[in-house]
Amino acid sequence: MPEIHWEEPFCAEGNNCFRIGTDEDGNGYISVLGQENHYLTDSRDALRSLIREIKAGKADHLL
């Protein structure tokens, strides 16, 4: 398992909290808070785009 450096969780009202992180190789990760052992991984840019959409209220149903 790679060493992932997790950012502070983002919690929207009434939704799950999620965290994003990166590893030493620049891979991006996203996980529901408290479930960091079960994560999705992709490029930083792809995950950053997903997070922006979630924060904008467009995709919060995905988590």
Side-chain angles (χ1 to χ4, degrees):
M1 175 187 244
E3 184 174 339
I4 302 169
H5 305 282
W6 294 104
E7 294 182 8
E8 291 297 315
F10 171 78
C11 301
E13 291 183 32
N15 294 315
N16 288 326
C17 298
F18 62 91
R19 299 181 86 174
I20 58 172
T22 55
D23 66 15
E24 299 296 324
D25 295 327
N27 298 311
Y29 300 84
I30 186 170
S31 176
V32 173
L33 180 63
Q35 307 245 342
E36 286 83 356
N37 289 335
H38 304 283
Y39 52 80
L40 297 175
T41 184
D42 206 330
S43 70
R44 285 185 190 184
D45 291 333
L47 292 174
R48 188 175 292 122
S49 295
L50 175 63
I51 298 303
R52 285 187 183 133
E53 295 297 308
I54 291 168
K55 287 183 176 181
K58 297 178 183 177
D60 62 343
H61 61 281
L62 295 176
L63 296 177

